[in-house]
Amino acid sequence: MTSDKKDLEERGSGPSGVERKREAGRAKQPQWANGLRQLYDSVVDEDIPDQFKDLLSRLDAKD
């Protein structure tokens, strides 16, 4: 570890232990796992289509 990184971690500006473990875990993942995570994240971020919103509204109104 370089002295700069060590100084940052001691001051709390560097990555936490949890963040370092998460980064290490991602580094060990195969390339397809990274692609799958990107695909999942892009689907989660998509807007709900208007037709689906309308359907949900009609179903809620029946209750």
Side-chain angles (χ1 to χ4, degrees):
M1 180 182 302
T2 65
S3 62
D4 291 339
K5 285 184 180 179
K6 188 174 180 179
D7 290 342
L8 284 174
E9 288 176 3
E10 288 173 357
R11 287 185 274 152
S13 299
S16 69
V18 173
E19 291 169 339
R20 284 193 302 268
K21 287 179 185 178
R22 187 178 302 137
E23 289 173 7
R26 286 185 182 154
K28 293 179 186 177
Q29 291 179 346
Q31 185 60 35
W32 60 265
N34 293 332
L36 187 59
R37 177 161 298 283
Q38 289 175 351
L39 176 62
Y40 175 81
D41 289 341
S42 70
V43 170
V44 168
D45 290 337
E46 286 184 18
D47 289 335
I48 297 173
D50 290 336
Q51 290 178 333
F52 193 68
K53 288 179 186 178
D54 293 341
L55 176 61
L56 291 173
S57 296
R58 286 186 282 159
L59 291 172
D60 284 340
K62 288 185 177 182
D63 292 341

